[in-house]
Amino acid sequence: MAVARKFSDQLDAFCQMAARMADLHNAEAILFLTERPTEWDKLQAAVGDHALIVAADSEDVLAGSEDAQFDTVVLSVPDLPVYEQLTEALLEAVADEHLAPGAPVVAVYSGFEADTIDSLSLIRLGEHLGRLTIRDLKQLGAKVPTETLKTVVDLAVAIGREGREGKPVGSLFIVGDHRKTLGFCKPMGFDPVRGYPVSERMLSDAKVREGVKEIAQMDGAFVVSAKGTVVAACQHVSAPPAELSISKGLGARHWAAAEITKSTTAVAVAVSESNGTVRVFHNGEVVLRIEPFRRAMKWKDFENEPPPAAAGPDREPTRDGAPASENSD
């Protein structure tokens, strides 16, 4: 059990300043990022009637906060720098619908000295970040469980943010309608998941997700069933050419994502190798765009343009598991 932090005069002063700032800017909530539990009743008294979200890197730190009826967030990546911990906490708060995507929030945290609350920030979420929520996924209207989609998208965002061993990694996941999808795929050589039992290919298992991150460095796409099983990896995708309109500058991986979702009911999730951006495709179109966590995140508009004249059935395969293009992303 983590040792509780004494609710010092300095902490009380910071919380009261946070409450005044929240009043001044009509903030929707106050985010309290902490490394240790504290005297939750005194924290509640200090912030008054404001909604309070408490974020920490473990359930132990949050023990007792439920009695004060705070919303809580457990960080999935606790070893990140403070700025990225704040970002993660805010993203999860939006995903769990504790916060609206465009809400102003006042954050209280240890910015300079570990384990000492010494910083206060006003964050306007509409200017800095967006988040794929369960509601967003349901709007896709696809025949894929939202929990499976959420798992795949979160994994794709992690790949886009972290890369592997300091190097950027691009990848493609095709989720749902896997039997029809496999009809448009062929192995690019060695398939690392072939022969493993289903229980060892479920994305709900953290070890499997880590394994997928390693395999993502190899060429080709992942095919994932609606239940979240990795059916195949390192696949070259070659769906029939279709009349498509996607953003200028997107390469073979994204064209493959658009074509396969036009020919099947699957959803494709593509990670750009150049900048880590994640795009979700459905019915041949980009329906969601998510920027990597390491930078400010917000939804971005995209321009639709007709496919280039060179795009057609005779395009040659590339190392990315999709037809050739000038930009393999």
Side-chain angles (χ1 to χ4, degrees), residues 129-150:
L129 54 89
R131 175 63 166 176
L132 183 66
T133 66
I134 294 296
R135 184 184 297 115
D136 295 319
L137 292 176
K138 287 179 178 177
Q139 289 175 353
L140 291 179
K143 297 179 180 179
V144 179
T146 53
E147 195 57 40
T148 298
L149 276 179
K150 184 177 185 298

Side-chain angles (χ1 to χ4, degrees), residues 9-26:
D9 291 341
Q10 176 175 323
L11 179 54
D12 183 64
F14 266 95
C15 291
Q16 290 190 43
M17 284 190 288
R20 290 197 293 272
M21 184 179 289
D23 286 332
L24 184 62
H25 295 279
N26 296 315

Side-chain angles (χ1 to χ4, degrees), residues 56-80:
D57 60 11
S58 73
E59 294 282 0
D60 285 347
V61 175
L62 298 172
S65 61
E66 62 273 11
D67 296 336
Q69 298 184 331
F70 300 148
D71 291 323
T72 59
V73 172
V74 179
L75 303 177
S76 60
V77 278
D79 296 328
L80 289 176

Side-chain angles (χ1 to χ4, degrees), residues 208-288:
V208 175
R209 295 195 298 274
E210 286 302 311
V212 166
K213 290 180 183 179
E214 293 292 341
I215 298 171
Q217 301 175 82
M218 302 173 67
D219 303 333
F222 294 92
V223 178
V224 180
S225 75
K227 294 182 179 179
T229 304
V230 181
V231 178
C234 301
Q235 298 292 304
H236 170 68
V237 182
S238 182
E243 290 295 326
L244 301 171
S245 182
I246 64 175
S247 302
K248 181 179 180 180
L250 297 183
R253 184 179 293 112
H254 296 88
W255 278 102
E259 289 174 343
I260 194 67
T261 59
K262 190 71 173 179
S263 300
T264 67
T265 61
V267 173
V269 182
V271 184
S272 173
E273 185 174 351
S274 60
N275 57 18
T277 297
V278 174
R279 291 176 176 84
V280 181
F281 290 78
H282 183 229
N283 195 30
E285 299 178 352
V286 178
V287 291
L288 294 169

Side-chain angles (χ1 to χ4, degrees), residues 186-191 219-221 233-237 317-322:
K186 61 181 180 180
M188 297 187 72
F190 173 65
D191 182 348
D219 303 333
C234 301
Q235 298 292 304
H236 170 68
V237 182
T318 71
R319 63 186 302 275
D320 294 308

Side-chain angles (χ1 to χ4, degrees), residues 116-194:
T116 300
I117 300 296
D118 55 19
S119 300
L120 194 64
S121 297
L122 174 67
I123 303 170
R124 300 185 186 278
L125 301 189
E127 298 173 1
H128 293 285
L129 54 89
R131 175 63 166 176
L132 183 66
T133 66
I134 294 296
R135 184 184 297 115
D136 295 319
L137 292 176
K138 287 179 178 177
Q139 289 175 353
L140 291 179
K143 297 179 180 179
V144 179
T146 53
E147 195 57 40
T148 298
L149 276 179
K150 184 177 185 298
T151 298
V152 172
V153 170
D154 284 347
L155 177 58
V157 170
I159 291 171
R161 180 186 70 234
E162 301 165 8
R164 215 63 185 156
E165 297 181 353
K167 298 180 180 179
V169 173
S171 195
L172 175 61
F173 297 85
I174 304 167
V175 191
D177 202 4
H178 68 278
R179 291 184 176 83
K180 188 172 182 180
T181 295
L182 288 172
F184 298 114
C185 297
K186 61 181 180 180
M188 297 187 72
F190 173 65
D191 182 348
V193 304
R194 186 175 182 180

